[in-house]
Each structure stands twice: as structure tokens, then as C-alpha cells.
Amino acid sequence: MTENGGVSFWLQQVGMPAPRPTLPGDLQVDVAIVGAGYTGLWAAYYLKRDQPDLRIAVLERRFAGYGASGRNGGWLTNSVTGGREQYAKSHGRDAAIAQQVALNESVDEVIRVAEAEGIDADIRKGGELTIANTPAQLERLRAFAASEQAWPATDLDLLDAAQAAARVNVEGALGGVWHPHCARVHPAKLVLGLARAVERLGVAIYENTTVTDIRAGEARTDHGTVRAAHVLRATEGFTPDLRGEHRTWLPMNSSLIVTEPLAASVWQRIGWEGRETLGDMAHVYMYAQRTADDRIAFGGRGVPYRYGSRVDQDGRTQERTIESLTALLTRFFPAASDAAIDHAWSGVLGVPRDWAATVGHDRATGLGWAGGYVGTGVTTTNLAGRTLRDLVLGRETELTRLPWVGHRARKWEVEPLRWLAVQAIYGAYHAADRAELRGRGTTAPIAHVADLVAGR
């Protein structure tokens, strides 16, 4: 029977960490970080390594890694959230290229730190493979490849059907693209190992401590107030729960299932020896990895949004989402059609209104922030952590000059407009995918949705 919700399969597999203490009461530190996921932990790690005398407190509502950092699909990839073109328009082509190069380098930086800190996170840098399995998807894939190859530092290869199948034998795939700047990771092993590394440096992590309000010089919690010269918000999809932040980012849900370990005979038919991460060109796209213990972890959007920006707490996934993901997994990999689904779960990610991630710090107030990764945060959080370090320490560096620094999107609309917009977006996505599976050419809803989301 499929286990549903609670913590992710990743966290269940490694075992629940021993609870850390709650905040003991009012506290004075130099830097208070709200959120003990990848963003907050990376920021704490680099700040403490560069300036060991800093007093840093990380405040976490549940436990380190409970949120998206312990629930994601394990893609350590170089995606520029929202696309490079936005930065080319706002800051020029060179700035857009610099953003891409920084993310390429961040993939290797995570791998470097994991090795240096003894974090065994099942990391395998096999690149990212995206396949097309309808003629409409193939048309989009070729256009995407041409666009990517017009930029330096993307290093993308366009693959025909046979070349794609030689990497991962997806049933009916007509072609693919591959780039090297991606690694498969075990999300929970990475975040829990990073939390331990941060503690070894002398950073205090307070769990089961709910921050309700962030303002200049303080973070107010249910166990006391933490006063600090710098207060950094690293709450991603849980940001709407903070006072005054209800419409800052949309809390979007994404769901995963994971199979039982597959037999060697099944893997002989599927291939996947390179452990590439796997995606597709559907409008409602999927994402997958071959795990270190030979399972398939397979994800996609289920019920993407809850009315009123309510944030999902328990990770339970609707049965129809489990069924649809299982059906798609079976369509991709008929050899795995008899495999049991061991676990299903969901996680929450943060979506700005313009779909562009951001990092920043106000020197006047000491307030900093990072997030809005729209599902691409495993790598971007590392870049955010290093950038927050430089901003807090008052440095002007290549990182602080990147075009996403200081970016702010306008707030999302009030309800019911938010809910109606998301329903319309995903209704269009699903309808387009169904039509394309029946052989119709692309209906290209993505362009219209981008205009809607950007307010154009």
C-alpha cells in the first residue's frame, strides 16, 4: 500500500533527525535567519565560515529540512528561474550571461561543499535530459534548443530519438536535449548534512519555533523575540504565513511518487546508466530521477494551489494525483508497470508574480530575503546563500552585481482572482497536453499564460 503524505520518502528513508531545542526566550544575535531550509542554511554556512565571530541564529517552525528542501525532486540544475531573457531586457545581455554562469558554477559549488563537509547526498552529475514524446513537443523542443544554443554557457546538445533513448529509454520519445550542468541528489541527505555542518561551525538552529512577524531589527516568534542587526527571510513557499507577506509569493504545490526498487532486468530495458535527471516538454511537465537504490522518483503538478494561499502542512497527495503520476510513469516506462508505488508526497514552493527568483538586502533596515525559486531552488539557494553573505558583510562582488539582486515583483492579486488565475492556467495546460497527445499541433498556452502572469 502506498504511504501518503507526512514527511517525504527522502526523509523517511534516512530517518527523522533528533529534535533540536526551541528558542529559549528573547535573544540578541548579529544575524537572525528565518527558515532552516537550503536558503537559510547556506546563508548561515557562508556567513559563519567567512566571519566566525558572528552570532547567528536560525529559526525554524518544524525542523531543518521539513519543507521543500527535504521534499523536492533532487535536481541540482542550472536553471535561471523565469529565463535569461528577462535579465537581458532589464540589465543587458552580459548580465544575463553572468547569471547563467553563476548558476553553472553553483552546481559545482554544492558538490564541492558536500565533499568537503563529508555530506554523502548520493550526488551524481549526469546532466539533465529533456525529452519530447509528441510532434508538438518535438517542435517546442527544437525551438528551445535553438534558443539555448544562441547563448554561451548553456552547453546544450540536441538529440534525435536514438540518441535520447541511448541515455534513457522513454517509450515513444521522438527526441531530446541534454546539458551537463545538473546532478542528481538525495534532497534530505543534502539538507540534513548541511544543517549538521552549520552547527559544527557554531550556528544555533532553533526548531519548533514559529516566526510570526519580521521587522527591522527583530524576528518575533511564539517563544520570544530575536533581535539582530540583520534579519534574513528564507521561508520560500511558507512566506504567505508571515504577517504582511500574504500576497508576496504564491504557495504552489508539487507532488512526487517513488517506486519500489526495480529489478536489474527492468533497468536493462530502461537504461538510465548515466543517472541523468529527466524532464519532458509537456505544458504540465514531469520531472524524475533514478535514485541511488534503483527506484524511480517521478513528480509533477497535482493540485497546484489552495484557495487563499493556504500553505499545505502535511504533504498529503490527492489520490487522483497519485493515479495520474503513476499512469504517466507507466506510459514512459512500460517495463516498470508492475512496480509498487511505495510513497507519495507533496511540497510547497514559492512563485512570485513574474516567476523570477530574487535575493536582496536593505542596508538601512538590515532586512534581507531570498526565494521565489518556482521549483528550481536546489542550486539557486546556494547562489542565494553566498550572495546574502556578501550583502550582509557589505561587500561589492560579482555575486552582488548579478541582475537578480534586489529584484522585486509586484504582489499577487486578492482572492478570488489568484485562485481563478491558477485554475485557468493549469486548465489550459492540461487541455493543451491532452490535445497534443491526440495528435493536434501545439496550442502554445504558455505564451498566453506568461502574459497573464506578468500582467501584460
Side-chain angles (χ1 to χ4, degrees):
M1 182 176 178
T2 301
E3 184 167 349
N4 191 351
V7 297
S8 67
F9 164 77
W10 312 118
L11 285 164
Q12 182 192 62
Q13 187 178 48
V14 300
M16 296 295 290
R20 295 178 172 90
T22 60
L23 182 70
D26 291 351
L27 186 66
Q28 181 77 46
V29 294
D30 299 307
V31 183
I33 299 173
V34 183
Y38 291 143
T39 299
L41 294 173
W42 281 124
Y45 178 81
Y46 289 109
L47 279 165
K48 193 67 172 176
R49 278 189 63 88
D50 275 29
Q51 191 164 324
D53 62 337
L54 281 177
R55 297 169 299 164
I56 302 174
V58 180
L59 309 171
E60 169 57 44
R61 178 160 63 179
R62 297 293 292 271
F63 60 83
Y66 177 81
S69 299
R71 296 173 182 270
N72 62 82
W75 283 38
L76 181 65
T77 194
N78 69 340
S79 298
V80 178
T81 310
R84 288 178 301 276
E85 289 75 10
Q86 63 182 323
Y87 298 127
K89 290 178 181 178
S90 63
H91 291 75
R93 182 175 172 85
D94 287 347
I97 293 169
Q99 186 78 24
Q100 183 66 78
V101 170
L103 284 159
N104 291 357
E105 293 172 348
S106 295
V107 173
D108 293 327
E109 172 67 4
V110 173
I111 296 171
R112 183 195 69 79
V113 173
E115 182 176 356
E117 297 292 345
I119 302 171
D120 182 2
D122 299 338
I123 298 174
R124 176 75 175 271
K125 192 178 180 185
E128 177 182 333
L129 175 66
T130 303
I131 59 96
N133 54 20
T134 69
Q137 287 187 28
L138 184 61
E139 180 183 341
R140 282 198 299 279
L141 182 132
R142 288 170 173 164
F144 170 72
S147 175
E148 290 291 286
Q149 290 171 343
W151 290 86
T154 56
D155 304 313
L156 191 87
D157 293 334
L158 178 64
L159 310 178
D160 61 24
Q163 291 170 322
R167 288 188 173 275
V168 185
N169 187 18
V170 177
E171 182 75 11
L174 303 176
V177 293
W178 177 87
H179 73 80
H181 303 291
C182 184
R184 175 208 71 188
V185 304
H186 189 297
K189 290 182 180 180
L190 178 59
V191 70
L192 297 181
L194 182 57
R196 290 190 292 268
V198 164
E199 286 182 310
R200 286 196 299 270
L201 291 173
V203 173
I205 301 174
Y206 298 106
E207 297 182 337
N208 294 302
T209 299
T210 300
V211 175
T212 57
D213 192 13
I214 296 174
R215 58 185 65 191
E218 61 184 32
R220 297 185 176 183
T221 85
D222 56 347
H223 292 284
T225 297
V226 178
R227 293 176 175 82
H230 306 275
V231 182
L232 310 182
R233 190 188 77 221
T235 47
E236 186 55 359
F238 294 90
T239 300
D241 286 346
L242 293 169
R243 185 169 299 160
E245 305 291 348
H246 194 62
R247 292 165 50 204
T248 300
W249 293 330
L250 203 72
M252 195 79 78
N253 296 303
S254 195
S255 301
L256 285 114
I257 57 174
V258 66
T259 68
E260 64 183 342
L262 304 181
S265 58
V266 174
W267 287 115
Q268 287 175 359
R269 295 173 61 183
I270 294 174
W272 217 336
E273 293 301 320
R275 267 60 173 185
E276 303 88 343
T277 61
L278 175 68
D280 74 351
M281 290 299 293
H283 299 296
V284 184
Y285 56 85
M286 51 69 62
Y287 53 95
Q289 65 154 279
R290 177 178 176 177
T291 69
D293 60 343
D294 286 336
R295 305 169 186 264
I296 297 176
F298 198 98
R301 297 288 188 264
V303 178
Y305 175 69
R306 299 175 187 270
Y307 189 88
S309 290
R310 288 183 291 117
V311 177
D312 175 57
Q313 300 293 336
D314 64 5
R316 187 168 181 83
T317 299
Q318 291 194 341
E319 289 298 327
R320 70 174 183 267
T321 299
I322 298 173
E323 291 169 1
S324 65
L325 289 174
T326 303
L328 188 58
L329 185 153
T330 300
R331 180 157 66 82
F332 271 44
F333 304 115
S337 59
D338 293 331
I341 303 300
D342 278 357
H343 200 138
W345 71 97
S346 295
V348 181
L349 51 96
V351 181
R353 199 182 184 285
D354 62 357
W355 291 59
T358 176
V359 61
H361 179 261
D362 185 338
R363 292 295 298 177
T365 64
L367 294 175
W369 69 89
Y373 306 120
V374 198
T376 63
V378 181
T379 302
T380 315
T381 50
N382 176 272
L383 180 59
R386 288 182 287 131
T387 304
L388 283 169
R389 170 202 59 194
D390 290 351
L391 291 169
V392 167
L393 297 180
R395 301 171 176 172
E396 185 176 342
T397 67
E398 290 184 1
L399 298 184
T400 64
R401 289 189 289 270
L402 289 173
W404 73 320
V405 176
H407 173 76
R408 291 184 184 268
R410 67 180 175 131
K411 291 183 180 293
W412 283 91
E413 288 74 10
V414 298
E415 294 290 22
L417 296 178
R418 289 199 303 279
W419 186 86
L420 290 171
V422 175
Q423 300 309 305
I425 289 168
Y426 278 90
Y429 282 170
H430 284 290
D433 285 335
R434 287 193 296 268
E436 291 175 8
L437 281 173
R438 293 193 297 267
R440 186 181 301 176
T442 180
T443 51
I446 290 178
H448 302 297
V449 168
D451 287 343
L452 172 65
V453 170
R456 294 191 290 266

